[in-house]
Amino acid sequence: MRHPETIKWEQKLKSIFDEIDDYLETSYGADYPLHPARPSRGSTANKEHDGLFNIGASFSSGLGSEYGPGYILEIRMVTLSHVPSEVRERIEQEVVELLRRKLPEKFEGKSLRVVRDRNVYKIYGDLSLGNV
């Protein structure tokens, strides 16, 4: 069983990811073919399960990280086509920039940061559940 405030916190975070997913689908969705088993954009009830992109995050307790606990950002493109590393890096940077703008809007009053933590991006800072 999960704490109700944790669920609310993660729903807010998912709403940001859904907005970013929409941006990426509009910007890059026609550039690469979908994986044959992947439904087209907007054909499911959850943006995680359709279209070219899946943006999300998994909680990490922060063991071994200089930033401590936080959410590890996951940016997934669901295609069998080769995506050049410079395109992937550009998409990652756009996601990070959008997150940095949207986190303060959705989590007003909380100090949240997006940083590179070794080979991943991480959202860390005030993860408290008060005033979610």
Side-chain angles (χ1 to χ4, degrees):
M1 184 166 188
R2 296 177 52 215
H3 192 284
E5 295 299 317
T6 301
I7 294 169
K8 284 171 44 178
W9 204 99
E10 290 180 351
Q11 285 172 337
K12 276 188 178 184
L13 190 57
K14 174 144 177 27
S15 73
I16 294 172
F17 294 148
D18 285 349
E19 291 174 19
I20 293 172
D21 182 277
D22 283 337
Y23 168 82
L24 293 175
E25 292 287 351
T26 299
S27 301
Y28 300 95
D31 295 350
Y32 299 94
L34 287 177
H35 185 285
R38 181 81 167 180
S40 62
R41 179 183 182 189
S43 62
T44 70
N46 189 333
K47 293 177 190 295
E48 292 176 22
H49 303 297
D50 63 30
L52 184 62
F53 292 93
N54 178 9
I55 311 300
S58 300
F59 182 77
S60 168
S61 61
L63 296 175
S65 167
E66 67 180 279
Y67 299 103
Y71 284 83
I72 304 299
L73 186 60
E74 300 166 0
I75 305 167
R76 188 168 158 235
M77 290 182 71
V78 188
T79 183
L80 294 176
S81 294
H82 171 72
V83 180
S85 59
E86 59 271 6
V87 173
R88 286 189 182 277
E89 289 170 16
R90 183 174 67 234
I91 290 169
E92 282 183 359
Q93 283 306 306
E94 288 182 52
V95 170
V96 168
E97 288 170 20
L98 288 165
L99 261 176
R100 287 179 177 153
R101 275 199 321 241
K102 291 177 179 294
L103 283 169
E105 295 170 9
K106 297 277 186 183
F107 293 96
E108 194 174 333
K110 292 196 177 288
S111 176
L112 296 169
R113 294 185 179 90
V114 183
V115 295
R116 186 109 177 136
D117 191 9
R118 297 185 183 172
N119 62 338
V120 297
Y121 283 98
K122 183 180 214 173
I123 301 166
Y124 81 102
D126 181 3
L127 302 175
S128 66
L129 299 178
N131 299 324
V132 177

